[in-house]
Amino acid sequence: MEQGSEENMESSWTLLSWMASGVMVFGGAVPYVPQYQEIQKTNNAEGFSTRVCLVLLIANILRIFFWIGKQFELPLLLQSVVMILTMLAMLHLCCSIQSSNRVSTKQHHITDLDLRYFWCWSSFEDYLMFCFAFTLLCAFITFLFLDWVLFVEALGSLAVMFEAMLGLPQLLQNYNNHSTRGMSVKMVLLWTAGDIFKTLYFVINESPTQFVVCGAVQILIDIAILLQTQFITTMKADVSHFKGFSITKHGLTVNDMSISGM
């Protein structure tokens, strides 16, 4: 009986481990589903910062090369592949929407070598070209210094540092726009839930320290975006409340009715 009970317990833990690994592989892509749908629905990509895609593409390409130098859990490697494909899908949609809404005929391409329009290119192929060039550069440098432990650790730290900054472009875009319109709050909530789960996964599986630090920083940025969303919503509600008020030399007027006539 005891042996059968132990076998059942072991089977249950194995099943839970596989489920957790599956969540790790595909869970990171789930938050972008509501944002993708939001962009399709509104036919407007201005509320979503494509620099989120830039950050994640760089982070996950670097993570793949970090795995070559220092093997860690396979689900984390597969997660990087899934995230790269997801970010390319987001960029493809944003480029399509921007192309259909573009008023100006002037276009910007990566081959212009104009830093003012970096990551603001007109064609999806430009983003693919950047990813290909960046991957080749990383491959060359990694295989050149692959036997240098310090380089491999630095590569891992750089990868998780970029990933930790995932929400920062969205935070800054919301601040500059003074609005969260076009940004899916569901995406940010799923970011937060996913980052909490991911950080716990890193701790339980004793993943490299870089991953744990990355998860903690991501959670803080997610919370900052949620607080920013609440603040902007409250501020707009206050502005709407006082919108009907006007001050004249005769007193405070609301909807053409004088409150105090002196």
Side-chain angles (χ1 to χ4, degrees):
M1 287 292 290
E2 289 183 4
Q3 186 176 356
S5 178
E6 288 178 3
E7 288 179 357
N8 289 335
M9 183 69 72
E10 186 177 344
S11 299
S12 299
W13 277 113
T14 302
L15 179 61
L16 285 173
S17 177
W18 275 100
M19 289 176 62
S21 297
V23 172
M24 282 301 300
V25 173
F26 299 103
V30 172
Y32 298 94
V33 174
Q35 183 63 67
Y36 193 95
Q37 293 173 333
E38 179 77 16
I39 294 173
Q40 279 188 321
K41 179 182 176 181
T42 61
N43 199 38
N44 190 328
E46 292 181 3
F48 174 70
S49 174
T50 55
R51 295 187 186 276
V52 169
C53 300
L54 170 64
V55 170
L56 276 178
L57 284 169
I58 290 176
N60 285 285
I61 290 171
L62 288 175
R63 189 200 281 185
I64 289 173
F65 286 104
F66 177 46
W67 185 88
I68 294 173
K70 182 179 180 179
Q71 278 75 37
F72 45 83
E73 293 89 346
L74 184 61
L76 297 181
L77 176 65
L78 296 176
Q79 182 196 53
S80 291
V81 176
V82 171
M83 287 306 301
I84 288 171
L85 294 175
T86 302
M87 291 303 100
L88 290 177
M90 291 295 298
L91 283 172
H92 183 269
L93 175 65
C94 290
C95 287
S96 300
I97 296 294
Q98 289 167 358
S99 177
S100 63
N101 294 341
R102 187 179 297 120
V103 176
S104 173
T105 56
K106 185 173 177 59
Q107 297 188 4
H108 305 287
H109 298 284
I110 190 172
T111 50
D112 297 337
L113 301 178
D114 191 340
L115 291 177
R116 292 176 300 170
Y117 297 101
F118 175 76
W119 211 253
C120 297
W121 301 310
S122 305
S123 172
F124 176 64
E125 286 73 17
D126 293 306
Y127 296 96
L128 285 179
M129 194 180 301
F130 171 85
C131 291
F132 181 69
F134 182 73
T135 302
L136 282 181
L137 178 64
C138 288
F140 176 75
I141 296 174
T142 300
F143 288 111
L144 200 62
F145 299 103
L146 189 59
D147 296 328
W148 191 17
V149 177
L150 187 61
F151 168 78
V152 174
E153 291 297 331
L155 188 64
S157 298
L158 195 61
V160 296
M161 183 186 74
F162 269 99
E163 188 174 354
M165 296 297 107
L166 158 66
L168 194 58
Q170 190 65 57
L171 186 74
L172 294 175
Q173 178 149 321
N174 294 343
Y175 175 78
N176 292 330
N177 291 345
H178 302 293
S179 171
T180 57
R181 183 180 180 184
M183 182 199 75
S184 173
V185 178
K186 290 180 182 178
M187 177 185 72
V188 183
L189 289 171
L190 288 170
W191 272 355
T192 309
D195 290 336
I196 292 172
F197 173 83
K198 182 170 63 176
T199 304
L200 290 174
Y201 179 91
F202 292 153
V203 173
I204 293 171
N205 287 276
E206 298 181 352
S207 300
T209 307
Q210 296 101 316
F211 289 100
V212 179
V213 174
C214 163
V217 173
Q218 281 183 290
I219 292 170
L220 292 175
I221 294 178
D222 295 340
I223 293 172
I225 295 175
L226 291 173
L227 291 174
Q228 181 188 51
T229 303
Q230 181 61 38
F231 174 76
I232 290 175
T233 303
T234 304
M235 184 177 66
K236 284 189 173 182
D238 290 341
V239 170
S240 299
H241 179 72
F242 290 105
K243 198 172 182 181
F245 289 76
S246 61
I247 299 176
T248 67
K249 63 181 181 179
H250 301 293
L252 182 62
T253 302
V254 183
N255 297 327
D256 299 327
M257 293 176 60
S258 178
I259 289 192
S260 87
M262 296 292 294

